[in-house]
Amino acid sequence: MDMHHHQAHLVQEAHQHHHPETLDYGTVKHLLSEAELQQQQQQLNLASTESTLLAAQSQHDAAKAVYDESALKVERLKSQFRDQIMDEGLRQSCRWNDMYYKLVEWKEGHNGDTTVPCDPKSSEDVKKLNRWVINQRTGYKYFMNGDKKHIKDHRIDALNKIGFIWSVTDHLWDNNFEELRRHHAENGTFDVTHKQNRKLATFVSRLRTAMNHKQQGLVQQELTQEKINKLNSINFTWELKRKPRKSTTRDTVKFDVMFNHLIAFKEIYGHLKVNKLEKEWKKGVGAPALKVYRRLPLFMAFCRKEQLLFAGGQPCSLDVEKVRLLTDLGVEWKKPASEPRKSTGGEASRKKRKKVEDNGGVCDFHQQEEDHHHQTHEGMVGGVPMMGHPGLPPMLKQENPEHQHQEQLMI
């Protein structure tokens, strides 16, 4: 029994702990009624506010529609006003208007072109119109920078009316961009080979080079952020995906193979003038003993190019042994660009060579010595050298191509 009373006491304490104030039924009912009345009043207030908001939104939309209509009317009036000013300006008699109407005629006769390209063969009228067009672009650049004394507003409007191109560079860029987009739509790639379209391939290559320089911190004015965004919008691939090169080597760089062909060529023809025979074979004069001999000119050009690198101490595919083998075979090497070339002798040299050919290919050294001795005495007057003689002081010498060629023949 005591245990039962103890448990009841514990339950009463717990109830008082969670509900310290115990309210009777009437009080709770009264409070509930007041709360419901407050809720109803707030609901009425909310409905009134929403109604007011809807009315305000409706008024706002109506006011905005009136404003938009008014703004359009203002723009139309501004446009009409500018057109009237433009028409009034174009009715005046001045050189600018004359050139403007010439540009309009040019556009009608050249498929809408307003750039007016010209070359040295163009007429004077075309050249004048070209210079005038360039001056308009220059004046517009000043205008955009705040200097408005070079071109007037109504003249800009008149040029815009006929679709004048203010920047040829941007115009060409936009044309290339559209062509690139069509290429991607047709081929599924932005990579363009020179064989497919040389101009477009150059455009793509310059884009990627400019982006590479921009990433390195170099200033690239031709690739603005606007253009980058435009290219990114079509998912342009900035990196060129190159196919892996094959490891096979062409015969032209297989030295051992082509060198043996060169030895056989010399044994058959008695010389190494592969370029000369190749030209004759192309003209239909004769035919090579072996088809591989047609690749010898490329091999020789390759060896001469590599020998220049070898002589300059630069990395190359030739070594001392290969250079020695080619030299012993009789290959003539190119001289470095730093070494001076001998004079060809001009017309006198050609006459002397013809004289040697008429003599059966034999140079008459004794006749040359006599001519030289005769010229020496003719060039002296009273022991004083005359102009044109080799005995003159260096500052007074005049070159004699014929005499120089005789000395070369004697050597």
Side-chain angles (χ1 to χ4, degrees):
M1 194 67 179
D2 293 336
M3 181 64 68
H4 178 72
H5 285 292
H6 179 67
Q7 291 178 350
H9 179 70
L10 292 176
V11 170
Q12 185 178 4
E13 287 183 352
H15 180 72
Q16 292 178 355
H17 177 74
H18 291 286
H19 303 281
E21 296 181 1
T22 302
L23 301 176
D24 58 8
Y25 174 77
T27 304
V28 172
K29 184 178 179 180
H30 176 71
L31 292 175
L32 178 60
S33 298
E34 289 183 350
E36 288 177 346
L37 289 175
Q38 291 178 359
Q39 183 182 17
Q40 292 175 0
Q41 186 63 38
Q42 294 298 332
Q43 187 174 4
L44 292 174
N45 293 338
L46 179 61
S48 176
T49 304
E50 289 178 349
S51 177
T52 304
L53 180 61
L54 290 174
Q57 183 66 38
S58 177
Q59 293 177 359
H60 173 269
D61 294 341
K64 189 175 184 302
V66 173
Y67 172 81
D68 292 341
E69 184 178 356
S70 176
L72 289 175
K73 184 177 180 180
V74 170
E75 289 299 324
R76 285 196 300 268
L77 291 174
K78 282 184 178 180
S79 178
Q80 291 176 4
F81 181 69
R82 291 171 70 95
D83 289 343
Q84 290 178 355
I85 294 177
M86 179 185 68
D87 294 338
E88 181 65 25
L90 291 176
R91 279 195 294 267
Q92 298 176 2
S93 178
C94 60
R95 182 179 179 276
W96 195 95
N97 289 345
D98 295 339
M99 298 302 295
Y100 174 80
Y101 287 117
K102 287 182 180 180
L103 179 61
V104 173
E105 293 178 2
W106 171 275
K107 178 185 176 183
E108 293 175 353
H110 293 81
N111 297 323
D113 173 67
T114 60
T115 59
V116 192
C118 72
D119 53 48
K121 296 181 181 180
S122 301
S123 64
E124 286 299 322
D125 291 339
V126 174
K127 291 180 181 179
K128 288 181 181 179
L129 186 58
N130 174 266
R131 288 193 294 269
W132 183 82
V133 166
I134 293 174
N135 290 337
Q136 304 316 301
R137 296 195 189 104
T138 303
Y140 184 72
K141 290 180 181 178
Y142 284 110
F143 183 89
M144 296 302 292
N145 290 326
D147 188 357
K148 300 183 179 182
K149 64 183 179 182
H150 299 279
I151 187 170
K152 299 179 181 179
D153 291 348
H154 75 274
R155 291 179 174 176
I156 294 176
D157 294 337
L159 290 170
N160 285 331
K161 187 176 180 180
I162 63 173
F164 186 78
I165 296 174
W166 296 106
S167 174
V168 177
T169 303
D170 292 341
H171 175 68
L172 295 176
W173 195 95
D174 292 336
N175 289 343
N176 288 329
F177 175 80
E178 294 300 328
E179 190 172 357
L180 179 62
R181 178 154 52 184
R182 288 193 298 269
H183 174 85
H184 179 263
E186 295 173 359
N187 302 280
T189 179
F190 290 104
D191 298 336
V192 188
T193 63
H194 283 266
K195 187 176 181 180
Q196 291 174 316
N197 189 327
R198 189 176 188 86
K199 182 185 71 172
L200 189 59
T202 303
F203 174 70
V204 172
S205 177
R206 291 188 63 179
L207 286 177
R208 288 170 172 156
T209 301
M211 175 56 78
N212 186 28
H213 289 170
K214 195 177 186 70
Q215 291 174 347
Q216 294 176 8
L218 303 176
V219 178
Q220 292 295 317
Q221 296 180 353
E222 62 180 12
L223 190 61
T224 61
Q225 188 61 43
E226 180 183 359
K227 292 178 179 178
I228 293 175
N229 295 338
K230 199 171 183 179
L231 290 164
N232 288 335
S233 67
I234 61 174
N235 297 321
F236 178 72
T237 53
W238 295 100
E239 296 292 334
L240 175 61
K241 297 179 181 179
R242 298 182 180 273
K243 296 181 180 180
R245 294 183 178 182
K246 297 181 180 180
S247 59
T248 57
T249 309
R250 292 175 60 89
D251 287 345
T252 51
V253 294
K254 288 183 178 179
F255 182 85
D256 295 338
V257 176
M258 297 307 295
F259 181 72
N260 291 331
H261 288 314
L262 189 62
I263 294 174
F265 176 91
K266 185 175 183 181
E267 292 177 352
I268 295 174
Y269 297 99
H271 59 78
L272 295 176
K273 298 177 181 179
V274 293
N275 292 321
K276 181 179 178 181
L277 285 184
E278 175 62 16
K279 292 178 181 179
E280 294 179 358
W281 294 335
K282 287 183 178 180
K283 294 178 181 179
V285 181
L290 294 175
K291 190 176 180 180
V292 71
Y293 290 166
R294 288 187 175 274
R295 294 206 298 269
L296 286 177
L298 185 60
F299 173 71
M300 293 287 283
F302 170 79
C303 289
R304 289 191 174 102
K305 180 180 179 181
E306 293 295 300
Q307 192 272 340
L308 287 176
L309 297 175
F310 176 81
Q314 302 180 28
C316 64
S317 61
L318 295 182
D319 53 25
V320 177
E321 180 63 20
K322 291 179 180 178
V323 173
R324 185 188 65 78
L325 290 173
L326 291 167
T327 304
D328 293 344
L329 187 61
V331 175
E332 296 180 358
W333 302 114
K334 290 183 178 181
K335 290 185 177 180
S338 58
E339 292 188 13
R341 265 58 172 173
K342 292 184 179 180
S343 175
T344 57
E347 182 65 25
S349 178
R350 287 192 290 272
K351 290 181 179 179
K352 183 59 63 179
R353 286 196 296 270
K354 187 176 185 305
K355 182 178 179 181
V356 173
E357 293 174 357
D358 295 341
N359 196 26
V362 180
C363 181
D364 190 351
F365 297 111
H366 298 290
Q367 182 64 37
Q368 289 182 10
E369 291 178 355
E370 291 178 4
D371 294 343
H372 178 68
H373 179 71
H374 181 67
Q375 292 172 2
T376 303
H377 285 283
E378 285 184 346
M380 301 287 291
V381 178
V384 179
M386 294 178 62
M387 297 296 292
H389 189 268
L392 285 172
M395 296 297 294
L396 300 178
K397 281 188 179 181
Q398 293 182 351
E399 293 186 359
N400 189 335
E402 184 174 352
H403 179 68
Q404 290 180 356
H405 183 65
Q406 287 180 356
E407 292 181 349
Q408 293 175 5
L409 292 175
M410 292 176 66
I411 295 173

mmCIF file of all heavy atoms in Angstrom, residues 40-54:
data_model
loop_
_atom_site.group_PDB
_atom_site.id
_atom_site.type_symbol
_atom_site.label_atom_id
_atom_site.label_comp_id
_atom_site.label_asym_id
_atom_site.label_seq_id
_atom_site.Cartn_x
_atom_site.Cartn_y
_atom_site.Cartn_z
ATOM 1 N N GLN A 40 -8.191 34.238 -37.233
ATOM 2 C CA GLN A 40 -9.130 34.690 -38.259
ATOM 3 C C GLN A 40 -8.840 36.136 -38.670
ATOM 4 O O GLN A 40 -8.897 36.486 -39.846
ATOM 5 C CB GLN A 40 -10.555 34.548 -37.743
ATOM 6 C CG GLN A 40 -11.016 33.105 -37.566
ATOM 7 C CD GLN A 40 -12.404 32.998 -36.941
ATOM 8 O OE1 GLN A 40 -13.038 34.026 -36.641
ATOM 9 N NE2 GLN A 40 -12.852 31.773 -36.713
ATOM 10 N N GLN A 41 -8.507 36.971 -37.667
ATOM 11 C CA GLN A 41 -8.200 38.367 -37.974
ATOM 12 C C GLN A 41 -6.943 38.488 -38.824
ATOM 13 O O GLN A 41 -6.880 39.272 -39.781
ATOM 14 C CB GLN A 41 -8.034 39.140 -36.657
ATOM 15 C CG GLN A 41 -7.850 40.642 -36.847
ATOM 16 C CD GLN A 41 -9.044 41.299 -37.492
ATOM 17 O OE1 GLN A 41 -10.199 40.932 -37.198
ATOM 18 N NE2 GLN A 41 -8.796 42.275 -38.375
ATOM 19 N N GLN A 42 -5.900 37.708 -38.489
ATOM 20 C CA GLN A 42 -4.662 37.720 -39.277
ATOM 21 C C GLN A 42 -4.902 37.214 -40.688
ATOM 22 O O GLN A 42 -4.288 37.693 -41.655
ATOM 23 C CB GLN A 42 -3.592 36.864 -38.576
ATOM 24 C CG GLN A 42 -3.131 37.419 -37.238
ATOM 25 C CD GLN A 42 -2.471 38.779 -37.393
ATOM 26 O OE1 GLN A 42 -1.902 39.111 -38.427
ATOM 27 N NE2 GLN A 42 -2.590 39.595 -36.334
ATOM 28 N N GLN A 43 -5.805 36.248 -40.820
ATOM 29 C CA GLN A 43 -6.119 35.741 -42.150
ATOM 30 C C GLN A 43 -6.799 36.804 -42.989
ATOM 31 O O GLN A 43 -6.518 36.949 -44.187
ATOM 32 C CB GLN A 43 -7.020 34.500 -42.026
ATOM 33 C CG GLN A 43 -7.262 33.792 -43.351
ATOM 34 C CD GLN A 43 -8.033 32.499 -43.172
ATOM 35 O OE1 GLN A 43 -8.454 32.171 -42.046
ATOM 36 N NE2 GLN A 43 -8.240 31.777 -44.266
ATOM 37 N N LEU A 44 -7.686 37.580 -42.337
ATOM 38 C CA LEU A 44 -8.319 38.678 -43.062
ATOM 39 C C LEU A 44 -7.299 39.745 -43.470
ATOM 40 O O LEU A 44 -7.344 40.286 -44.591
ATOM 41 C CB LEU A 44 -9.417 39.299 -42.188
ATOM 42 C CG LEU A 44 -10.644 38.423 -41.911
ATOM 43 C CD1 LEU A 44 -11.589 39.108 -40.917
ATOM 44 C CD2 LEU A 44 -11.380 38.124 -43.210
ATOM 45 N N ASN A 45 -6.380 40.048 -42.554
ATOM 46 C CA ASN A 45 -5.323 41.022 -42.870
ATOM 47 C C ASN A 45 -4.456 40.541 -44.033
ATOM 48 O O ASN A 45 -4.061 41.315 -44.908
ATOM 49 C CB ASN A 45 -4.460 41.280 -41.645
ATOM 50 C CG ASN A 45 -5.220 41.996 -40.536
ATOM 51 O OD1 ASN A 45 -6.242 42.645 -40.809
ATOM 52 N ND2 ASN A 45 -4.753 41.866 -39.306
ATOM 53 N N LEU A 46 -4.106 39.240 -44.033
ATOM 54 C CA LEU A 46 -3.289 38.672 -45.113
ATOM 55 C C LEU A 46 -4.009 38.749 -46.442
ATOM 56 O O LEU A 46 -3.409 39.108 -47.472
ATOM 57 C CB LEU A 46 -2.935 37.217 -44.767
ATOM 58 C CG LEU A 46 -2.088 36.464 -45.811
ATOM 59 C CD1 LEU A 46 -0.750 37.165 -46.002
ATOM 60 C CD2 LEU A 46 -1.876 35.012 -45.377
ATOM 61 N N ALA A 47 -5.293 38.436 -46.439
ATOM 62 C CA ALA A 47 -6.075 38.499 -47.672
ATOM 63 C C ALA A 47 -6.145 39.934 -48.197
ATOM 64 O O ALA A 47 -6.049 40.187 -49.405
ATOM 65 C CB ALA A 47 -7.473 37.944 -47.430
ATOM 66 N N SER A 48 -6.286 40.880 -47.264
ATOM 67 C CA SER A 48 -6.336 42.286 -47.672
ATOM 68 C C SER A 48 -4.993 42.732 -48.270
ATOM 69 O O SER A 48 -4.939 43.447 -49.273
ATOM 70 C CB SER A 48 -6.692 43.150 -46.468
ATOM 71 O OG SER A 48 -6.669 44.513 -46.809
ATOM 72 N N THR A 49 -3.909 42.281 -47.624
ATOM 73 C CA THR A 49 -2.573 42.634 -48.133
ATOM 74 C C THR A 49 -2.332 42.032 -49.507
ATOM 75 O O THR A 49 -1.765 42.683 -50.412
ATOM 76 C CB THR A 49 -1.488 42.157 -47.153
ATOM 77 O OG1 THR A 49 -1.754 42.710 -45.860
ATOM 78 C CG2 THR A 49 -0.110 42.575 -47.615
ATOM 79 N N GLU A 50 -2.712 40.773 -49.705
ATOM 80 C CA GLU A 50 -2.544 40.130 -51.008
ATOM 81 C C GLU A 50 -3.361 40.849 -52.073
ATOM 82 O O GLU A 50 -2.904 41.019 -53.215
ATOM 83 C CB GLU A 50 -2.967 38.666 -50.908
ATOM 84 C CG GLU A 50 -2.010 37.810 -50.105
ATOM 85 C CD GLU A 50 -2.479 36.368 -49.990
ATOM 86 O OE1 GLU A 50 -3.644 36.116 -50.366
ATOM 87 O OE2 GLU A 50 -1.690 35.525 -49.540
ATOM 88 N N SER A 51 -4.560 41.277 -51.704
ATOM 89 C CA SER A 51 -5.384 42.021 -52.652
ATOM 90 C C SER A 51 -4.721 43.337 -53.025
ATOM 91 O O SER A 51 -4.693 43.741 -54.194
ATOM 92 C CB SER A 51 -6.769 42.280 -52.037
ATOM 93 O OG SER A 51 -7.557 43.067 -52.917
ATOM 94 N N THR A 52 -4.157 44.001 -51.999
ATOM 95 C CA THR A 52 -3.451 45.257 -52.265
ATOM 96 C C THR A 52 -2.234 45.028 -53.163
ATOM 97 O O THR A 52 -1.935 45.807 -54.070
ATOM 98 C CB THR A 52 -3.017 45.902 -50.944
ATOM 99 O OG1 THR A 52 -4.161 46.088 -50.103
ATOM 100 C CG2 THR A 52 -2.337 47.237 -51.185
ATOM 101 N N LEU A 53 -1.507 43.931 -52.874
ATOM 102 C CA LEU A 53 -0.318 43.599 -53.669
ATOM 103 C C LEU A 53 -0.688 43.328 -55.120
ATOM 104 O O LEU A 53 -0.005 43.777 -56.048
ATOM 105 C CB LEU A 53 0.389 42.387 -53.060
ATOM 106 C CG LEU A 53 1.652 41.906 -53.788
ATOM 107 C CD1 LEU A 53 2.703 43.017 -53.803
ATOM 108 C CD2 LEU A 53 2.206 40.655 -53.134
ATOM 109 N N LEU A 54 -1.780 42.577 -55.333
ATOM 110 C CA LEU A 54 -2.219 42.290 -56.700
ATOM 111 C C LEU A 54 -2.601 43.578 -57.429
ATOM 112 O O LEU A 54 -2.285 43.758 -58.614
ATOM 113 C CB LEU A 54 -3.395 41.314 -56.668
ATOM 114 C CG LEU A 54 -3.073 39.874 -56.239
ATOM 115 C CD1 LEU A 54 -4.367 39.058 -56.113
ATOM 116 C CD2 LEU A 54 -2.124 39.217 -57.226
#
